[in-house]
Amino acid sequence: MEKITLYEFENRQVISMGKMIGKQSIVFEETPFILEGASVVGPKEGEGPLGKGFDVVEQDPMMGQDSWELAESLFQKEALQKVLLKAKMGKEEIRYVFAGDLLGQLIGTTFGILEYEIPLFGIYGACSTMGEAMSLGAMIVEAGNAENVIAMTSSHFASAERQFRFPLEYGKQRPFSSTWTVTGSGAVIISRKQGIAKITGVTTGKIVDYGVKDAQNMGACMAPAAVDVIASHFEDFGTAPTDYDKIITGDLGLVGKTILFELLNQKGYDISKVHMDCGIEMFDGSVQDTHAGGSGCACAATVFTSFVLKQLKKKVWKKILFIPTGALMSPISFNEGNTVPGIAHCVMIESV
Amino acid sequence: MEKITLYEFENRQVISMGKMIGKQSIVFEETPFILEGASVVGPKEGEGPLGKGFDVVEQDPMMGQDSWELAESLFQKEALQKVLLKAKMGKEEIRYVFAGDLLGQLIGTTFGILEYEIPLFGIYGACSTMGEAMSLGAMIVEAGNAENVIAMTSSHFASAERQFRFPLEYGKQRPFSSTWTVTGSGAVIISRKQGIAKITGVTTGKIVDYGVKDAQNMGACMAPAAVDVIASHFEDFGTAPTDYDKIITGDLGLVGKTILFELLNQKGYDISKVHMDCGIEMFDGSVQDTHAGGSGCACAATVFTSFVLKQLKKKVWKKILFIPTGALMSPISFNEGNTVPGIAHCVMIESV
């Protein structure tokens, strides 16, 4: 591929450094870099198998606040501060923040980044938010519209249970298909400056609805969307599972993983040898009582900004797909009898 | 300004067609076009002063559905269909949809665009969503990452009242500072192909919190954010209010307008001669009992895609600023005693 892509459209000569490939992918030629990443989690996540790898383990999931929602905001605030510190950057060097969370009207983000006064693109893709934020951030940086942007998201076990199911005080039993929302926040700086890894392509997901109506089984809601975007990625780029050192889904958990493998097998793709799910890695289900695994926007975001980025930095993995997965569940539409559709966004990342 | 911008960064020569200008703006040199726009509204909006200009006036605000939320989805579905029809395009020609709405988890959008199977970037900026969608859409098209994208949003009076305040059945009295959420949806196609108007720049807003805690006075929550982004736009571009034929805010209403003028005056800008607010134009308050004006994501989106686009097409206006304004109000954080911060996104549009 040539360094700069020139093509004609409607008799106008267009120069582009981003190149549309296939039906829904972009390949970057002037690749944007992941300059730095930061992860902040709560105590339960700190006790999990990946616990030592997070930048900060907060011992108080309330962060000294009176509400879970304000606590979640402070996780975002801390992740943003941490990633700036690690990159030795000031907030004025960040042109945009792409961020969102699971709470209605994105209040985790709103109150988390308020004081930084950085222009914000608020986004919502349920637990696929980190993939959406990184996709948009990479496109904006590559186009020369920013030198540095931050992609960030958060979730909180208690605020999510209240938002989507029941407040914790209700003491509801959790079925084995349920996942445990990760408390924490992950942030990356996407930059023109060379960093830990480079984003070489993105495949943007569609809404996929297989008709699942079980609010306690997010894995089943999200798996078909992950299948759709992963298969589209292979088609658009002409690649196969063996072309990647790891294919990392966000928070499908044990139930979703089984569905993912089965549906991808039906399309002729076997990813079982290179697959990893952040939700499955986050907790030790045998002692932490987390059932099908971890979930929430922060699940993919914190595992990516700790464990995954380290493997890329050490070149243990040279080329990966990162696919945060989201279940578009609304308590209102769910209570009205509607299904829970899913969406997933795929980011191709390579070591430098 | 040269056709293609060349600049050096970290010893890498970067070619860009988007150019960062000032602290938070982009000026487009290969301008993306607004190819076509479509507006679908409910009966009350159809009876308002702009009623004749909307593409479709649905006479049943329930759209034949059992819930307000599903009705809202159908408004988005219809607006998307309408804009494709007007542009004589198939859905497969649209590479991305940038869309969102006021409902938690964006279910208006989710169920509205589900069947179209177009890759989606879900966004949330409260009632500033149309500005955010158009900003991102323009940047992505200009960078050569898409030939055509759709920017779209919706709102619904009844679904918004339930989401943010009380269900209609409660029969609450509305204070005079309150606004009436517009029922409808507006969609534009942003394209490389020459269309009705061109997007020549964007200024992306920050979250601004003046400490307002009145859920019945959205105008006061949003006005400071509008002031911030409008003043930043003037500073970044070195322009003054007189450089624009119209400066169009989204849904500040009568209360917000007063605050907007006063705060901008304090910064040395008098926009009173060129200002228009979509919320004030939407209804005739003297007979429609809408108090401070119209509001909701659909307010700015439907006025823009009907009345405003027509003025640009007829060259009555040659250069405008379009600034949808959002109040980031969450019923959860509001009930926890938190403030309602605002955000606004500014899009500069010129006739062709």
Side-chain angles (χ1 to χ4, degrees):
Chain A
M1 280 178 290
E2 61 277 25
K3 265 257 162 209
I4 293 162
T5 313
L6 260 164
Y7 64 96
E8 298 246 333
F9 186 72
E10 298 283 329
N11 297 324
R12 296 163 62 210
Q13 204 181 46
V14 177
I15 298 177
S16 167
M17 292 180 298
K19 190 182 158 192
M20 291 173 262
I21 180 166
K23 279 192 187 157
Q24 59 197 86
S25 300
I26 301 288
V27 59
F28 295 126
E29 292 174 354
E30 284 283 333
T31 56
F33 293 96
I34 296 173
L35 191 65
E36 200 40 274
S39 53
V40 184
V41 297
K44 191 179 181 86
E45 291 71 23
E47 288 160 9
L50 305 176
K52 297 283 178 210
F54 299 116
D55 289 312
V56 182
V57 179
E58 285 287 342
Q59 295 306 317
D60 173 16
M62 290 297 285
M63 299 286 268
Q65 300 300 305
D66 291 331
S67 77
W68 300 318
E69 289 75 20
L70 280 177
E72 181 171 341
S73 291
L74 288 191
F75 276 96
Q76 281 212 24
K77 192 172 172 180
E78 193 168 358
L80 202 159
Q81 189 63 47
K82 195 75 190 169
V83 81
L84 287 176
L85 274 169
K86 285 177 78 175
K88 298 185 182 65
M89 266 192 186
K91 64 172 187 169
E92 62 289 339
E93 291 176 77
I94 305 297
R95 200 162 176 95
Y96 303 114
V97 172
F98 293 84
D101 56 77
L102 290 176
L103 303 178
Q105 297 77 47
L106 311 186
I107 43 167
T109 300
T110 298
F111 291 107
I113 75 156
L114 177 62
E115 284 173 26
Y116 292 99
E117 298 184 327
I118 305 172
L120 168 73
F121 288 108
I123 58 173
Y124 186 80
C127 306
S128 75
T129 297
M130 194 62 173
E132 184 181 347
M134 287 172 64
S135 298
L136 285 171
M139 286 197 233
I140 296 302
V141 165
E142 199 231 18
N145 290 327
E147 279 163 18
N148 308 294
V149 304
I150 283 179
M152 181 171 69
T153 188
S154 68
S155 56
H156 192 293
F157 173 68
S159 67
E161 286 300 305
R162 166 150 72 189
Q163 177 82 47
F164 294 107
R165 296 170 196 97
F166 299 97
L168 296 185
E169 293 86 343
Y170 182 72
K172 179 183 58 73
Q173 282 203 319
R174 298 162 46 80
F176 284 109
S177 62
S178 70
T179 46
W180 189 281
T181 304
V182 166
T183 298
S185 174
V188 292
I189 297 175
I190 300 171
S191 175
R192 296 187 158 273
K193 209 152 77 174
Q194 184 160 335
I196 297 171
K198 55 188 179 185
I199 299 176
T200 48
V202 295
T203 305
T204 303
K206 300 174 289 210
I207 292 173
V208 178
D209 185 7
Y210 266 38
V212 184
K213 291 189 178 190
D214 186 351
Q216 303 288 346
N217 191 348
M218 294 289 101
C221 301
M222 295 184 285
V227 169
D228 188 78
V229 80
I230 292 170
S232 298
H233 178 87
F234 292 150
E235 282 163 33
D236 286 352
F237 283 87
T239 52
T242 47
D243 292 321
Y244 303 91
D245 296 313
K246 274 287 167 199
I247 294 178
I248 304 166
T249 48
D251 54 354
L252 294 179
L254 295 166
V255 176
K257 179 186 170 176
T258 312
I259 301 170
L260 176 79
F261 284 5
E262 193 172 320
L263 293 178
L264 275 174
N265 271 330
Q266 286 173 16
K267 288 177 182 271
Y269 299 112
D270 176 9
I271 66 162
S272 61
K273 286 195 184 67
V274 289
H275 177 257
M276 170 189 137
D277 182 69
C278 299
I280 294 173
E281 303 299 323
M282 175 60 87
F283 297 115
D284 180 350
S286 66
V287 292
Q288 291 190 290
D289 198 27
T290 45
H291 301 342
S295 63
C297 295
C299 182
T302 57
V303 173
F304 179 81
T305 49
S306 56
F307 180 69
V308 176
L309 267 187
K310 277 191 195 102
Q311 307 309 309
L312 287 163
K313 195 172 183 176
K314 291 190 280 184
K315 296 190 176 48
V316 178
W317 300 335
K318 287 187 181 150
K319 187 176 184 177
I320 66 159
L321 291 184
F322 177 51
I323 311 126
T325 43
L328 296 161
M329 182 180 136
S330 145
I332 289 179
S333 75
F334 176 76
N335 287 333
E336 286 171 356
N338 252 312
T339 56
V340 182
I343 192 164
H345 297 294
C346 179
V347 188
M348 183 163 68
I349 304 161
E350 298 179 43
S351 60
V352 179
Chain B
M1 280 179 288
E2 60 277 25
K3 264 254 163 214
I4 294 162
T5 312
L6 262 165
Y7 64 97
E8 299 245 333
F9 184 72
E10 298 285 328
N11 296 325
R12 294 164 64 212
Q13 203 181 47
V14 177
I15 297 176
S16 166
M17 295 179 297
K19 190 182 158 195
M20 291 173 263
I21 178 166
K23 279 192 187 156
Q24 60 196 86
S25 300
I26 301 288
V27 59
F28 296 126
E29 292 175 355
E30 284 283 333
T31 56
F33 292 95
I34 295 173
L35 191 64
E36 202 38 275
S39 53
V40 184
V41 297
K44 191 179 179 87
E45 291 70 23
E47 288 161 11
L50 305 175
K52 297 283 177 209
F54 299 117
D55 289 311
V56 181
V57 179
E58 285 286 343
Q59 296 306 316
D60 173 16
M62 290 297 286
M63 299 287 268
Q65 301 299 304
D66 291 332
S67 76
W68 300 318
E69 289 74 21
L70 280 177
E72 181 171 342
S73 291
L74 288 191
F75 276 97
Q76 281 211 24
K77 191 171 172 181
E78 194 169 357
L80 202 159
Q81 189 62 48
K82 195 75 190 170
V83 80
L84 287 175
L85 273 170
K86 285 176 79 175
K88 297 186 184 65
M89 268 192 183
K91 63 172 187 169
E92 62 288 341
E93 291 176 77
I94 306 297
R95 202 163 175 94
Y96 304 116
V97 172
F98 293 84
D101 56 76
L102 291 177
L103 303 178
Q105 297 76 46
L106 311 186
I107 42 165
T109 300
T110 299
F111 292 106
I113 76 155
L114 177 62
E115 285 173 26
Y116 292 98
E117 299 183 327
I118 306 172
L120 168 73
F121 289 108
I123 58 173
Y124 187 80
C127 305
S128 75
T129 297
M130 195 62 175
E132 184 180 348
M134 287 171 64
S135 297
L136 285 171
M139 286 196 232
I140 295 302
V141 166
E142 200 232 17
N145 290 327
E147 277 163 20
N148 309 294
V149 304
I150 283 179
M152 183 171 68
T153 188
S154 68
S155 57
H156 192 293
F157 172 68
S159 67
E161 286 299 305
R162 165 149 75 188
Q163 178 82 47
F164 294 106
R165 296 170 196 97
F166 299 97
L168 295 186
E169 294 86 342
Y170 181 72
K172 179 183 59 72
Q173 281 203 319
R174 299 162 45 79
F176 283 109
S177 61
S178 71
T179 46
W180 189 281
T181 303
V182 166
T183 298
S185 174
V188 292
I189 297 176
I190 300 172
S191 175
R192 296 186 158 274
K193 208 152 75 174
Q194 183 161 334
I196 296 171
K198 56 189 179 184
I199 299 177
T200 48
V202 296
T203 305
T204 302
K206 301 174 290 210
I207 292 173
V208 178
D209 186 5
Y210 266 39
V212 183
K213 290 189 178 189
D214 185 351
Q216 303 288 346
N217 190 348
M218 295 289 102
C221 303
M222 296 185 284
V227 168
D228 188 77
V229 80
I230 293 171
S232 298
H233 178 88
F234 292 150
E235 282 162 33
D236 286 353
F237 283 87
T239 51
T242 47
D243 291 321
Y244 303 91
D245 296 314
K246 274 289 167 198
I247 294 178
I248 303 166
T249 49
D251 55 353
L252 294 180
L254 295 166
V255 176
K257 179 185 169 179
T258 311
I259 301 169
L260 177 80
F261 283 5
E262 193 171 321
L263 293 178
L264 275 175
N265 271 330
Q266 286 173 17
K267 288 178 183 269
Y269 298 112
D270 176 9
I271 65 162
S272 60
K273 286 195 185 67
V274 290
H275 177 259
M276 171 189 135
D277 183 68
C278 299
I280 294 172
E281 303 300 322
M282 176 60 87
F283 298 116
D284 180 350
S286 65
V287 292
Q288 290 190 291
D289 199 27
T290 45
H291 300 343
S295 63
C297 294
C299 182
T302 57
V303 172
F304 180 81
T305 50
S306 57
F307 181 69
V308 176
L309 266 188
K310 279 192 194 103
Q311 308 309 309
L312 287 162
K313 195 172 183 176
K314 290 190 281 185
K315 298 190 175 49
V316 178
W317 300 335
K318 287 185 182 151
K319 187 175 184 179
I320 66 159
L321 292 184
F322 177 51
I323 311 124
T325 44
L328 296 161
M329 180 180 137
S330 146
I332 289 179
S333 74
F334 176 77
N335 287 332
E336 286 171 356
N338 251 310
T339 56
V340 183
I343 192 164
H345 297 293
C346 178
V347 188
M348 183 163 67
I349 304 161
E350 298 180 41
S351 59
V352 179

